[in-house]
Amino acid sequence: LYKIINIITLILFILIVILPTGKYLLWKLESSYSIPKTFPHDIDGILILGGGVNAILTYQHQQMSLNENVERLTESIDLMRRFPNAKIVYSGGTPTMSKLKPQFTGIDVAKMFYTRMGVDINQIIFEDKSKNTYENLVFSKKFIDNKNNEKWLLVTSAFHMKRAMSVAEKLKLNFIPYPVDFILKKNYRWKRLYIKKATSFLANMKHFELAAHGHYHMCERTDI
C-alpha cells in the first residue's frame, strides 16, 4: 500500500512541479474567452468582480495597496468611459480585519482607487456582502433586469472568467465576458519536457494553484 502511495505521490510531483502542467491548464483557462472585438450598440451594465486590492496592507500602512489583479479596476475605468450610460456594479468586499479593529474591506480600497482616478463613486453600486464568486453573482443579480434582456459586461481576471461564466449560467444570467489580467502569452505551445532552475518549480506550482482555483467553479453553491 505504501509503495502505491509513494508512486502516486511521485507522479503528482512530476505533473505539478517538473512538467508545465499548471501553466498549460492556466493557458487553457485564459483561452476560454477572448476580449470582445465588437460590442452591442448599447451596454446596459458592467459587473466588476472584486479584486486588485489589498485591504490589509492598505489598512496597516495607511497607503493604498494594489495587487496583481489590478487590471480589473484599471480596465473597468476605460469601459465606464466608453459606455457612460451603463449601470456599474462592483461586487466583493469581505471584511478583512478582526472585530477588535474597524472593519476595512476591498470595497473601501476600490473606492479610494476610483476616487483618485477621477471616477464619481456615486455612480457605482458597491455590493459588499459576497465572499466568493457564486455570491458575487447572486447578490448582484438584483441589479440586472433579465426580463428586458439587458446587455451586461462581466469583468474579471482571464483565468477566473470560465468559473464566473459557469456560475452565471447556472443562475440564468447572460453576460458578455470581458477578461482582463492575463498572465500568459496568447500563443502557448507544449514544446518539450524541461527541468530548469528552482524558480521554474515555484512558477509551475503557482500556475497550477491558479488553474485549480479557476477549475473549482463546479464546487460553488448553487442552492441559494
Side-chain angles (χ1 to χ4, degrees):
L1 178 62
Y2 290 110
K3 185 176 181 180
I4 295 176
I5 294 176
N6 289 335
I7 292 175
I8 294 175
T9 302
L10 178 61
I11 293 174
L12 290 175
F13 178 82
I14 293 174
L15 288 176
I16 296 175
V17 180
I18 298 179
L19 302 181
T21 308
K23 187 174 183 179
Y24 175 73
L25 292 176
L26 187 59
W27 173 78
K28 290 288 289 183
L29 281 176
E30 291 197 336
S31 301
S32 299
Y33 298 93
S34 57
I35 300 173
K37 295 182 180 179
T38 59
F39 293 91
H41 179 66
D42 292 316
I43 293 294
D44 297 291
I46 302 171
L47 174 60
I48 307 155
L49 299 192
V53 301
N54 190 312
I56 293 177
L57 292 182
T58 298
Y59 178 84
Q60 291 181 347
H61 297 286
Q62 293 298 296
Q63 182 182 83
M64 186 170 60
S65 179
L66 308 176
N67 62 36
E68 64 273 11
N69 304 131
V70 71
E71 287 90 341
R72 298 191 192 187
L73 296 171
T74 56
E75 286 297 314
S76 69
I77 293 177
D78 180 63
L79 291 172
M80 291 178 201
R81 292 170 178 167
R82 191 183 305 183
F83 305 106
N85 297 322
K87 183 186 299 182
I88 310 298
V89 178
Y90 181 96
S91 176
T94 306
T96 56
M97 311 310 296
S98 69
K99 294 182 179 179
L100 299 178
K101 299 178 181 179
Q103 288 189 329
F104 197 77
T105 72
I107 291 286
D108 297 310
V109 187
K111 288 181 178 179
M112 291 172 60
F113 176 85
Y114 284 127
T115 298
R116 292 189 185 184
M117 295 297 106
V119 176
D120 182 3
I121 60 174
N122 293 317
Q123 303 301 316
I124 302 175
I125 299 171
F126 290 96
E127 182 284 300
D128 60 358
K129 295 181 175 60
S130 57
K131 297 183 290 294
N132 53 49
T133 306
Y134 179 71
E135 291 184 353
N136 283 148
L137 294 164
V138 166
F139 296 145
S140 298
K141 186 176 182 179
K142 61 183 178 181
F143 304 113
I144 304 172
D145 188 352
N146 279 333
K147 293 181 179 179
N148 290 329
N149 294 318
E150 288 187 343
K151 300 178 181 65
W152 278 67
L153 296 179
L154 177 61
V155 179
T156 190
S157 300
F159 77 89
H160 182 246
M161 185 60 76
K162 186 172 183 179
R163 175 179 180 176
M165 290 294 288
S166 295
V167 174
E169 183 179 354
K170 294 179 188 303
L171 296 172
K172 302 187 185 314
L173 290 170
N174 295 318
F175 287 103
I176 299 171
Y178 191 92
V180 299
D181 180 31
F182 289 87
I183 298 172
L184 301 176
K185 294 180 179 178
K186 192 171 185 178
N187 298 319
Y188 175 79
R189 295 180 181 178
W190 191 291
K191 292 183 179 179
R192 59 188 173 83
L193 305 182
Y194 67 96
I195 300 179
K196 294 183 179 180
K197 53 187 178 181
T199 53
S200 294
F201 298 160
L202 297 176
N204 288 342
M205 293 179 68
K206 179 63 176 179
H207 290 148
F208 191 88
E209 178 186 2
L210 288 173
H213 177 76
H215 279 291
Y216 193 62
H217 67 272
M218 293 304 292
C219 295
E220 298 271 15
R221 288 187 63 189
T222 58
D223 58 340
I224 295 179

